[in-house]
Amino acid sequence: MGLIWLKHPVLWHSSRVPSGYDYTMMTDEQKTMIVTKWHNWYSADWEYGQTTLAFFCAGIATVFLFKVVAHLRGRKFTVLQGDLSVTHQPGTLDRVIAACRYATARQFHVRTLHWYSPPLAAVVAVCGMFTFLMALMLAVRPYYWPNDAMGHSPPIATRAGWISIAIMPFMIVFATKVNFIGILTGTSHEKLQVFHRWTAFFMYITSLVHTFPFIINSIRMREMEAMWSTSPWYWTGVAALVPQTYLVALSWGIFRNPYYEIFKKLHFIAAGIFMAALFIHVNFRLTSWDYFWAVVGLYGTSWLMRVLRTHYNSGVGLPATIEYLPGNMIKVRVEAPKRLRWSPGQHVFVRFVDLGIHFFSSHPFTVASIPADGHSLDLVLRVKKGITQKLANVATGKAARSTRVLIDGPYGGLPFDLKNFHTVYLFAGGSGASFTVPLLLDLARKFESKDHFTCTRVEFVLAVKDKDSAAWLSQDLILARKCIGDERLNVRIHITEAELTGDAASSSDDVKTIEDASATVLGRPNLPQIVRQASKASQGKVAIVACGPESLLYDVRNAVSECQLIIADGYGTCKDIYLHTENFG
């Protein structure tokens, strides 16, 4: 149906031959202006659209090069391990890397709004995007033609439109699971969501700047009603702007987080309407449709890869069991085929085939087991709302409830091997242990196999509300302690709410096993102090991995950022601190 609103004949690109100008009504200066760079309507896609593309590509290339340098430095450091009894002062490259990692670790907290910012590096990147896009849009004058004979499209509206449509492919790709930007930059898809949201917001700003000058111009020229009635560009522009407004307004956390499953479905519907209306609106002007073909190619390839991998790994569904655990936890055990491979710390998207409406959504969960564990893929979840509440309802009162699932993934994980660090710290809060426990078990397996090893010390710290919340990992901790040894592994379980004694809920065998496998401490761990001591005690490489609530990650991030500044100043004892955080477990 959309073809009836397109200009005919439908082409890939519209003509670049100027037409429709009344040169007799223009001065010589005005005739020159409309064909000069940055003013010419017929080359605006090159000057504004391609400039925007170049800016984003340059930013991605810069991050890619930084990752390559950091990776090569890490390999060189691993090969050239020296005697740690000798003091090593951080070199110039160590200090530069530490300064950059300070930016990737530092975080801010607005207590009155209960809001935790993205890392400082992401804040700087977003501010850089905004500054560049606004400068590109606003730097050139005039904003309106001084003479109506120079064209009906205000210059600022033209350039804003091309900037907006050039943002679109990056905005879409930032949201994909098989993320090509993430592959290039070594960043997992969930950490790029912040850029998806902000580029969508910037695209909305430029869309508004594109829209209102046309309205102002048409009202001034007394053509508004006629243009609305006869021109498809006006009403299709509104048809695109309405769902775009909905997408941007309801994507803020205050609306998105409480009703995420409903939000996600409506978000896809609104996005489809927006893209269709925008496709008709641009009407193959110059190279406008090229950006849509880029979106189709990138998003379509990502979606197809997800579908093919899901059905390759899962077929029509893998058998699984759902078990209710003490401490209001759920364990889902999937019988994974050997072709389904994952690494410790990775997560998968799970679609439950026989749970009614939940079949239409996939949900991200961290894999709590390692591939060596009989090749069962375990997921340990805390019961909250939505899908986890549904799982609890079907599993409560039963030994185990059978189901079938589709597995999409794995995704994420650590970009480095923990065995190559001298000291490893694993911090977790609540169900975040489902991320750190597999990392601990992987280290334990490598200790046992006498693999080429640098790691000499492992610290495992877990904060939970009560002992029952940690009961599910008791056997894993015993195995890790047996493989690594008491002299190299220190395990501490911090109970944040329940008392250590007199708790009737703490009489199970698993809870008693927890006490045997770890030091149980009442109260919250002082993670910043642990991080600072780690940076002072080690002269080699330190890896810090954390998963849990935002408050825990905030403490760890900022403590690590302080240590990175010390290294950058040249006074650090250790040469390298690597931080990896996850927001869900």
Side-chain angles (χ1 to χ4, degrees):
M1 290 296 292
L3 290 177
I4 65 174
W5 297 307
L6 297 177
K7 183 179 178 181
H8 286 74
V10 177
L11 305 171
W12 286 100
H13 306 129
S14 67
S15 173
R16 292 189 184 275
V17 178
S19 62
Y21 291 122
D22 185 356
Y23 293 103
T24 62
M25 300 295 293
M26 286 187 260
T27 66
D28 291 339
E29 181 182 351
Q30 291 169 351
K31 292 176 186 177
T32 302
M33 177 182 291
I34 62 173
V35 295
T36 56
K37 189 175 182 179
W38 308 110
H39 292 95
N40 189 347
W41 187 93
Y42 288 92
S43 61
D45 57 334
W46 294 337
E47 289 146 10
Y48 293 100
Q50 291 188 9
T51 300
T52 303
L53 281 178
F55 170 76
F56 278 96
C57 290
I60 294 168
T62 300
V63 177
F64 170 73
L65 292 175
F66 172 79
K67 291 289 185 179
V68 169
V69 170
H71 176 71
L72 293 176
R73 168 183 170 273
R75 290 185 58 182
K76 180 179 178 181
F77 190 92
T78 301
V79 172
L80 301 177
Q81 301 283 350
D83 183 3
L84 293 185
S85 63
V86 180
T87 300
H88 296 274
Q89 291 297 322
T92 301
L93 185 57
D94 298 326
R95 295 168 65 177
V96 172
I97 295 291
C100 294
R101 287 180 176 167
Y102 164 81
T104 61
R106 186 72 171 92
Q107 195 176 21
F108 303 96
H109 180 205
V110 182
R111 298 184 185 277
T112 55
L113 300 177
H114 305 288
W115 178 72
Y116 292 88
S117 76
L120 177 60
V123 174
V124 171
V126 168
C127 291
M129 289 180 194
F130 180 77
T131 302
F132 176 85
L133 295 173
M134 292 303 104
L136 183 63
M137 184 173 63
L138 301 174
V140 179
R141 301 294 183 97
Y143 295 159
Y144 292 86
W145 294 126
N147 185 342
D148 292 339
M150 299 172 72
H152 283 67
S153 180
I156 191 164
T158 299
R159 69 184 73 136
W162 285 113
I163 293 170
S164 183
I165 203 170
I167 293 172
M168 180 179 65
F170 298 95
M171 182 265 292
I172 297 293
V173 172
F174 279 133
T176 56
K177 301 299 183 292
V178 180
N179 197 298
F180 299 111
I181 296 176
I183 292 171
L184 287 173
T185 60
T187 307
S188 185
H189 68 92
E190 73 278 2
K191 297 183 185 298
L192 295 174
Q193 287 295 315
V194 61
F195 299 110
H196 168 64
R197 290 192 288 269
W198 281 104
T199 51
F201 183 63
F202 297 154
M203 184 180 178
Y204 182 61
I205 293 174
T206 54
S207 297
L208 292 176
V209 176
H210 171 72
T211 301
F212 283 101
F214 278 105
I215 296 174
I216 293 170
N217 236 23
S218 296
I219 292 175
R220 181 185 59 81
M221 298 171 68
R222 301 183 184 278
E223 295 180 349
M224 187 65 193
E225 292 185 12
M227 294 298 290
W228 181 266
S229 302
T230 60
S231 171
W233 288 286
Y234 275 67
W235 72 263
T236 55
V238 173
L241 193 62
V242 169
Q244 188 182 21
T245 301
Y246 166 85
L247 288 166
V248 172
L250 269 69
S251 293
W252 294 99
I254 190 173
F255 303 112
R256 180 185 71 247
N257 295 336
Y259 312 101
Y260 183 75
E261 293 186 33
I262 297 174
F263 158 81
K264 186 176 179 180
K265 295 177 177 63
L266 295 178
H267 195 76
F268 275 106
I269 294 172
I273 297 171
F274 165 67
M275 293 295 289
L278 186 60
F279 181 79
I280 299 170
H281 175 68
V282 299
N283 221 326
F284 65 88
R285 287 299 194 188
L286 302 179
T287 56
S288 57
W289 275 6
D290 290 357
Y291 297 90
F292 285 89
W293 308 139
V295 169
V296 170
L298 294 169
Y299 183 83
T301 302
S302 174
W303 177 83
L304 184 62
M305 290 176 66
R306 289 186 63 192
V307 171
L308 292 177
R309 183 167 63 174
T310 297
H311 289 289
Y312 174 75
N313 288 332
S314 308
V316 295
L318 299 174
T321 57
I322 307 170
E323 180 184 357
Y324 189 82
L325 301 178
N328 204 28
M329 306 285 283
I330 291 290
K331 183 176 183 178
V332 178
R333 171 160 288 182
V334 181
E335 296 180 19
K338 290 184 178 180
R339 62 179 177 272
L340 177 55
R341 306 296 297 176
W342 68 93
S343 300
Q346 290 191 302
H347 62 273
V348 295
F349 285 80
V350 184
R351 190 182 302 271
F352 293 89
V353 175
D354 56 354
L355 287 186
I357 193 173
H358 292 287
F359 170 76
F360 298 98
S361 295
S362 58
H363 306 270
F365 299 116
T366 301
V367 182
S369 58
I370 58 178
D373 295 344
H375 218 71
S376 66
L377 187 150
D378 294 348
L379 311 169
V380 178
L381 332 167
R382 178 169 294 281
V383 178
K384 294 183 178 179
K385 297 179 181 178
I387 183 62
T388 55
Q389 185 61 61
K390 177 66 175 180
L391 293 173
N393 293 341
V394 301
T396 302
K398 303 177 183 178
R401 202 270 203 188
S402 297
T403 186
R404 298 189 73 82
V405 299
L406 297 173
I407 300 294
D408 172 21
Y411 297 99
L414 272 65
F416 51 82
D417 195 331
L418 292 177
K419 73 175 186 178
N420 294 324
F421 291 82
H422 298 97
T423 310
V424 175
Y425 289 81
L426 303 174
F427 300 138
S431 61
S434 64
F435 179 78
T436 56
V437 166
L439 298 175
L440 178 64
L441 293 177
D442 185 58
L443 279 172
R445 182 177 60 180
K446 291 172 180 176
F447 264 106
E448 190 177 36
S449 64
K450 309 298 182 182
D451 197 359
H452 175 69
F453 229 77
T454 300
C455 185
T456 59
R457 183 70 179 169
V458 181
E459 296 277 344
F460 183 90
V461 180
L462 171 63
V464 291
K465 291 183 179 180
D466 50 58
K467 291 182 181 179
D468 283 340
S469 298
W472 64 272
L473 50 81
S474 58
Q475 296 301 322
D476 293 331
L477 294 181
I478 290 176
L479 175 61
R481 186 174 289 280
K482 177 181 177 181
C483 296
I484 300 176
D486 292 343
E487 69 282 358
R488 291 184 172 182
L489 174 63
N490 180 37
V491 178
R492 282 187 288 173
I493 309 295
H494 288 255
I495 311 300
T496 60
E497 292 186 4
E499 294 293 335
L500 285 173
T501 59
D503 188 352
S506 301
S507 59
S508 69
D509 292 339
D510 284 338
V511 169
K512 293 177 181 178
T513 304
I514 281 286
E515 296 176 356
D516 295 336
S518 63
T520 307
V521 183
L522 180 64
R524 299 180 183 276
N526 189 341
L527 297 180
Q529 182 179 3
I530 296 174
V531 171
R532 295 185 190 102
Q533 290 175 347
S535 68
K536 295 176 182 178
S538 176
Q539 296 177 2
K541 296 174 65 178
V542 177
I544 297 176
V545 180
C547 182
E550 289 183 321
S551 57
L552 181 146
L553 299 183
Y554 174 78
D555 288 342
V556 174
R557 280 182 169 280
N558 286 349
V560 170
S561 68
E562 292 177 13
C563 298
Q564 298 287 17
L565 277 185
I566 294 174
I567 297 175
D569 287 338
Y571 299 109
T573 303
C574 68
K575 294 190 66 173
D576 195 12
I577 299 180
Y578 197 102
L579 172 67
H580 183 91
T581 61
E582 292 283 333
N583 291 91
F584 53 82

